Amino acid sequence: MNGPVPDLRLAGFAVAVWLSSLPALYLSARSGLLLSAAALAGAAVAMALPPKRPALAAVRWIAVATLLGAGCGAGMTGARVTTRESGPLVALVRAGDPVRVEAVVRDDPRALSGSPGLPPTYLVAVDLRRVAAEDAPPLTLSARALVLGSDPGWRVVLPGQRVIARGKLLPPRGGDLRAAVVSVKEAPELIGRPSWAQRAAGQLRAGLQRACEPLPDDAGGLLPGLVVGDTSRLDPALSDDFRTTGMTHLMAVSGANVAILLGVVLFAVRWTRAGPVTRALVCAVVLVGFVILARPSPSVVRAAAMGGIGLIGLASGRPRAALPALAAAVAVLILYDPELAADPGFALSVLATSGLLLLAPPWRDALRRKGWPPGAAEALAVPAAAQVACGPVVAGLSGAVSLVAIPANLVVVPAIAPATLLGIASAVLSPVWPAGAEFAAWLGHWPAKWLVLVARYGARVPAGALPWPGGVCGALLLAAITIALLIAARRALVRRLVLVAALAGMLGALPVRLLASGWPPANWVMVACAVGQGDAVVLPAGPARAVVIDAGPKPEPVDHCLRRLGVRQVVLFVVSHFHVDHIGGVAGVFRGREVLAVVGPEWPDPPAGRASVAAAAGRLPLHAVGPGWAYTVGRLRLTVIGPYEPLHGTNSDPNNNSLVLRAEMHGETVLLPGDAETEEQDELLRHLGAPALRADVLKVAHHGSGYQSPPFLDAIDPAVALVSVGKDNDYGHPNASVLARLARGGARVLRTDQSGDLAAVATGRGLAVVARGSPPE
């Protein structure tokens, strides 16, 4: 695996541009320009002082290039930040008056799911051209902004299109070049038509979606995502499985996606025995076509630019020629658009291209020396190199290192080529031959099914991901380990030792994690899931079966909690009330599981929340239950004890009409009061009396808010009090005095925002609490 030393002459300059632009985005324009001046002065000093020894000449020029890069990066970023700090625009933002804006769309709209039953909000990156307040002359400028559009009309805008909208200017969050956020409730007024490339892309993408409509939801939703990054029809559960298995790059247009596409094309062209220049020309044509098909938005163009750098190495037959071009392209792109310095997608694009240039060729040659066919060696080396190169950034973003990512990406290699090529063929045929497009999509969905199968089973592998430090420190740590292993692996003996150690570690750790994972703990009575600012409680109902009360605000956290508990059948899903923090994740409860029954309170408000639960339940009826209703399964008995009667005119009627549940399991009692506040708590105490409320475990009502009745808490007298609450929430939950009162009464108080999933366990000698850890961010 020994080879020529990579040509890194421009690498120092490019890295310095990148690292100086990143902090300058968070600084004022003046601070960024001062940082630039200091770096450029240092470069001038270094150039003016000749080295005392010739051996130090190379070191001096490296220092000069680094300081020049830092000066250029900080200076260009500081200059661009001046637009963000423009006095007239800042004054309009602070005034908060309605404005009329004229803008150019920069990228595809992105839908953000809102409350159940409500339409999504669309995030649209734009360039402001004119901003005018009422009875004031218009302000002509060129500044970036983000539109928050609540009208569905924003869904159809295309990059490059000019729009007029009316709304309010809000301050930006900082850390990028956006000068304002525009909140718009009305549909945009479209000016002119999109470019021919955007219209062609829209027609081809729509044709691909039409061709995939008759296909099953899993593969039919994946194929457009695999080909052009269009995941509008993809099941969120499947998308989550791809993310867990480390296969997200197959659904997003990034440098990794382009690298895999080029690998597929190279695999096909190599059989023609074409030379390097011909292979590069074919790849260039495919790349241009891919940009048009995937829609030439800035993110797609950046990914294609990174992929195009690899063509230089192919055309010359020498990857060394492409490395300076890659460094130059990185520097030029960041100097042109400093916002890229903070873009994880750009980092993944650069790393994937670096892996294509530095790692893939020697790995391909090593496989060929071992007897692999040339095409197979290329098809295996390209995705493996991209995965290894992107690993540190992925680990820093996710806080985990997937043990299944590389094996999963390797076993899907044979399916990527036919699925991608057949999907592209379907899109190209759709305008002229719809029947042929549907046939190509039908053929392409079979290899896509293999991708679905790998993602689903890979996401369910126990101990499939190891916890890893998140953020920059975690990414740098894994990068250092990866580089050390790659250098050490140049020796055959070290390669064998590393391979044996890695296999031994994985095979040795897996049985331990399988057999002694400790989760769920034996004889668990209740689990409060860490779902953020919301509630989701699980009660055991037999092997792989459970009763679930509430679903939290989002589908993914409750789905993950049920997966960790091994729940495959929900015998009963109970909704305490219909606020979004209790039912927003209802789709996660139904995701891949059989649900036998659904019940909720008689109080119907808010109606959008009730409609969301009914829609998720499908044909299952949503039964309204009240006091006295009971349910028994196995050793679990569940009884509704409140609300005793409907309450009106309270601080929050939906909260004060929450179902209050009492569960009995393993000789222990659990009280689940939903979001009941002081009024309902006092009503229950007055009608039922203190003995009827006594419980061993309390799920503290309303996330530990201050709306608690002290006599109610004293009557329960729990040994364990669990608080389901979100980290750094805006409501001040939980209330410190409430927690202190519970602790003074002898309860052990734990919070999901600090300890993750919490399980109350019957030990035979009393109650214990097991915290799983890793609370969500």
Side-chain angles (χ1 to χ4, degrees), residues 525 662-665 667-671 694-698 767:
V525 174
R662 180 183 179 88
E664 300 173 43
M665 179 75 175
E668 309 289 351
T669 56
V670 179
L671 189 67
R694 172 74 180 87
D696 302 300
V697 182
L698 169 67
L767 279 169

Side-chain angles (χ1 to χ4, degrees), residues 109 111 155 205-206 208-209 217 220-222 224-226 228-236 239 251:
R155 181 175 57 87
R205 289 162 68 96
L208 178 59
Q209 283 285 8
D217 289 339
L222 173 62
L226 175 67
V228 295
D230 182 1
T231 58
S232 57
R233 187 188 159 194
L234 190 65
D235 180 10
S239 177
M251 303 179 298

Side-chain angles (χ1 to χ4, degrees), residues 234-277:
L234 190 65
D235 180 10
L238 183 59
S239 177
D240 192 51
D241 288 342
F242 269 79
R243 183 163 45 252
T244 303
T245 315
M247 296 164 56
T248 311
H249 56 272
L250 297 177
M251 303 179 298
V253 180
S254 66
N257 183 280
V258 173
I260 290 173
L261 175 62
L262 293 180
V264 171
V265 174
L266 287 173
F267 176 77
V269 175
R270 182 171 289 274
W271 293 101
T272 65
R273 301 183 181 276
V277 174

Side-chain angles (χ1 to χ4, degrees), residues 12-18 20-21 39-40 64-75 335:
F13 179 82
V15 171
V17 168
W18 198 334
S20 62
S21 297
L40 292 176
V64 169
T66 302
L67 289 171
L68 282 175
C72 293
L335 291 174

Side-chain angles (χ1 to χ4, degrees), residues 151-171:
D151 191 277
W154 287 100
R155 181 175 57 87
V156 298
V157 298
L158 297 175
Q161 193 162 29
R162 299 181 71 89
V163 298
I164 293 177
R166 293 168 177 81
K168 288 188 176 182
L169 295 179
L170 305 174

Side-chain angles (χ1 to χ4, degrees), residues 94 110 145 387 440 460:
R94 289 176 178 172
R110 185 162 58 94
Q387 185 69 34
R460 287 158 178 76

Side-chain angles (χ1 to χ4, degrees), residues 312-340:
I312 298 175
L314 292 174
S316 63
R318 297 182 296 110
R320 279 176 54 88
L323 290 174
L326 174 61
V330 169
V332 169
L333 286 172
I334 293 179
L335 291 174
Y336 173 75
D337 186 2
E339 208 170 69
L340 291 176

Side-chain angles (χ1 to χ4, degrees), residues 72-388:
C72 293
M76 290 296 293
T77 305
R80 297 291 296 275
V81 169
T82 57
T83 304
R84 188 178 70 190
E85 300 175 355
S86 169
L89 184 60
V90 171
L92 288 175
V93 172
R94 289 176 178 172
D97 297 328
V99 295
R100 179 179 183 270
V101 301
E102 182 178 333
V104 178
V105 178
R106 287 178 47 84
D107 210 339
D108 291 303
R110 185 162 58 94
L112 292 182
S113 299
S115 301
L118 297 179
T121 298
Y122 295 94
L123 271 65
V124 187
V126 300
D127 282 330
L128 296 179
R129 292 292 183 257
R130 293 167 65 90
V131 180
E134 294 183 2
D135 302 326
L139 175 64
T140 302
L141 73 168
S142 178
R144 294 186 183 180
L146 182 68
V147 171
L148 298 179
S150 56
D151 191 277
W154 287 100
R155 181 175 57 87
V156 298
V157 298
L158 297 175
Q161 193 162 29
R162 299 181 71 89
V163 298
I164 293 177
R166 293 168 177 81
K168 288 188 176 182
L169 295 179
L170 305 174
R173 65 177 183 179
D176 52 39
L177 298 178
R178 295 188 181 108
V181 175
V182 189
S183 177
V184 181
K185 294 183 179 180
E186 301 175 356
E189 178 184 342
L190 306 182
I191 304 175
R193 300 177 65 193
S195 66
W196 71 268
Q198 298 290 358
R199 296 198 302 272
Q203 186 177 10
L204 294 176
R205 289 162 68 96
L208 178 59
Q209 283 285 8
R210 286 194 301 271
C212 292
E213 282 180 1
L215 302 176
D217 289 339
D218 50 8
L222 173 62
L223 200 58
L226 175 67
V227 176
V228 295
D230 182 1
T231 58
S232 57
R233 187 188 159 194
L234 190 65
D235 180 10
L238 183 59
S239 177
D240 192 51
D241 288 342
F242 269 79
R243 183 163 45 252
T244 303
T245 315
M247 296 164 56
T248 311
H249 56 272
L250 297 177
M251 303 179 298
V253 180
S254 66
N257 183 280
V258 173
I260 290 173
L261 175 62
L262 293 180
V264 171
V265 174
L266 287 173
F267 176 77
V269 175
R270 182 171 289 274
W271 293 101
T272 65
R273 301 183 181 276
V277 174
T278 303
R279 295 202 299 268
L281 289 175
V282 172
C283 287
V285 171
V286 171
L287 202 54
V288 171
F290 176 76
V291 168
I292 295 176
L293 177 61
R295 189 170 287 166
S297 60
S299 59
V300 175
V301 173
R302 290 195 299 264
M306 289 297 102
I309 297 298
L311 299 181
I312 298 175
L314 292 174
S316 63
R318 297 182 296 110
R320 279 176 54 88
L323 290 174
L326 174 61
V330 169
V332 169
L333 286 172
I334 293 179
L335 291 174
Y336 173 75
D337 186 2
E339 208 170 69
L340 291 176
D343 184 359
F346 180 71
L348 291 174
S349 295
V350 175
L351 289 172
T353 307
S354 301
L356 177 66
L357 298 174
L358 291 173
L359 302 179
W363 290 0
R364 174 200 61 204
D365 296 339
L367 290 173
R368 292 182 62 181
R369 287 194 296 268
K370 293 182 179 298
W372 282 62
E378 189 111 47
L380 182 63
V382 167
Q387 185 69 34
V388 170

